[in-house]
Amino acid sequence: GYQLAQGMAGLSLLPVVSPSADMSQHSFGGTRQQGVSQGDSDRLWRRPRLTGYSALEQGLVQPWYTREVKVMSWNIAEGKVSKAAPKGWTKERSIQEITAIIEREAPDIVALQESPRHFGLGPGYVSTLAARSHSGWVQLFVSRRIQHSVARLWRPRSTRSELPVVCCSVLLNGLEVTFASMHLSPSKHNVAVREQQLRDLHAATTDHALVLGDANMREGETEGAWAAGFFDWGESQRLKTWDGHENLFHGEDVFKFRCRFDRALTKGGLLSTSVLRLVANAPVSDAPGHYLSDHYGLAATFNAHQGGP
């Protein structure tokens, strides 16, 4: 068997897929979950089964050779309407604006947290997996132009608690690299839980990985990420993805603090970046404090160092 499959809880391998196949139409060896429309293949949420073979082992995954990987992560608050929104603003309008921002950014990898159940992007993206979190869903999208470089999909498990994380691996510059979307345990009282989740996530990913998302980590928790084996790329910039003073998503008198909840963590030395930047950190209308989510998004272009066989 393939070495990666050993000791990785919750691993799901892709069935053999022809390089010309359309991943959005493929079942990934699973079945459609109840309550999901059959019509939109990019929004089908499938539950892969463990298989004994993979496209990667059969040599049917097309390597993605690139020097740059564009990524974006965003907790989109289920597309709910901000309490600061002007009269007449709807959830449908919010979702349209969210989708437009993502598509303008044009990332290769999109990690979302607190997605509505049936959220999907446009025809340029393929939805891989989704997992329920304590609020909404965790999703991971890949650009359709790199869909045939995707080798595996899985949901890692935690030894002590739920682990709302979805992973895909991509054959990047000759190496299998994990990209993951995470939504870790909330509350300032759950530091130990988040540290365990990070350790479990580190154990469940390939030697090179980029983990994006709402880690719910407070200031001072970066050492926990380092201890788990991850490098936190936002530590030097300290970009605040939560700003309850300017962003009145929940109202004027609640959650009045700033925090760096959202993180971009790497494992291994294949991916690096010099700058993270905030996305959707400007009001979306003329109404004071009106933002599309209570979180700002993170975006970056990671340098993909050349791998090898």
Side-chain angles (χ1 to χ4, degrees):
Y2 189 67
Q3 183 178 3
L4 179 63
Q6 298 177 0
M8 185 178 290
L11 178 66
S12 296
L13 307 184
L14 283 175
V16 175
V17 180
S18 164
S20 62
D22 185 349
M23 267 180 50
S24 69
Q25 302 292 339
H26 204 281
S27 69
F28 303 131
T31 57
R32 186 166 57 90
Q33 295 185 11
Q34 290 184 341
V36 182
S37 168
Q38 183 71 44
D40 188 348
S41 61
D42 275 340
R43 301 186 188 188
L44 295 186
W45 297 21
R46 305 187 182 275
R47 195 179 299 278
R49 67 174 181 264
L50 186 65
T51 63
Y53 56 89
S54 73
L56 181 62
E57 290 175 284
Q58 298 295 322
L60 296 178
V61 176
Q62 297 177 355
W64 178 27
Y65 292 106
T66 183
R67 293 183 178 181
E68 295 182 339
V69 179
K70 293 180 64 177
V71 301
M72 178 176 173
S73 176
W74 193 6
N75 178 325
I76 61 173
E78 299 185 77
K80 295 176 181 176
V81 176
S82 167
K83 291 192 174 181
K87 186 177 180 180
W89 192 278
T90 64
K91 182 175 181 177
E92 290 73 19
R93 174 78 181 276
S94 286
I95 289 176
Q96 289 174 359
E97 296 288 343
I98 288 168
T99 301
I101 287 174
I102 295 171
E103 292 180 350
R104 281 198 301 270
E105 288 291 323
D108 300 307
I109 306 289
V110 184
L112 298 181
Q113 305 83 46
E114 294 196 30
S115 293
R117 182 172 175 81
H118 301 299
F119 184 81
L121 295 176
Y125 288 92
V126 176
S127 177
T128 60
L129 287 177
R132 194 75 170 92
S133 75
H134 58 273
S135 179
W137 292 79
V138 180
Q139 287 184 284
L140 189 66
F141 293 85
V142 298
S143 169
R144 190 172 294 277
R145 67 185 181 83
I146 65 167
Q147 63 179 338
H148 301 304
S149 298
V150 174
R152 304 170 186 266
L153 308 173
W154 69 97
R155 296 185 185 93
R157 298 189 181 98
S158 175
T159 57
R160 295 185 183 179
S161 65
E162 294 295 323
L163 187 57
V165 176
V166 291
C167 300
C168 79
S169 69
V170 173
L171 193 59
L172 174 63
N173 292 345
L175 295 174
E176 190 178 11
V177 180
T178 301
F179 294 94
S181 177
M182 65 177 170
H183 194 193
L184 302 189
S185 181
S187 171
K188 62 183 180 182
H189 304 294
N190 285 336
V191 175
V193 175
R194 287 190 287 274
E195 289 177 348
Q196 182 62 50
Q197 288 177 322
L198 287 171
R199 288 193 292 270
D200 291 333
L201 183 52
H202 188 275
T205 51
T206 54
D207 289 342
H208 298 278
L210 173 57
V211 181
L212 303 158
D214 181 2
N216 272 306
M217 294 166 66
R218 277 64 175 172
E219 299 301 330
E221 289 190 53
T222 299
E223 289 186 3
W226 291 342
F230 289 108
F231 184 81
D232 183 351
W233 285 98
E235 175 65 14
S236 61
Q237 292 179 261
R238 297 185 177 274
L239 297 177
K240 307 299 185 183
T241 57
W242 179 286
D243 186 349
H245 297 281
E246 299 293 332
N247 186 342
L248 306 182
F249 191 86
H250 295 284
E252 294 188 4
D253 301 317
V254 292
F255 305 125
K256 308 299 282 188
F257 62 92
R258 296 181 175 94
C259 191
R260 191 168 66 94
F261 282 140
D262 303 81
R263 306 289 174 110
L265 310 175
T266 57
K267 171 185 176 183
L270 188 68
L271 296 171
S272 63
T273 188
S274 58
V275 177
L276 293 177
R277 57 188 177 83
L278 294 177
V279 177
N281 59 328
V284 72
S285 74
D286 292 335
H290 178 207
Y291 294 76
L292 289 171
S293 171
D294 49 1
H295 289 246
Y296 304 144
L298 284 178
T301 298
F302 276 79
N303 181 47
H305 304 284
Q306 190 67 30

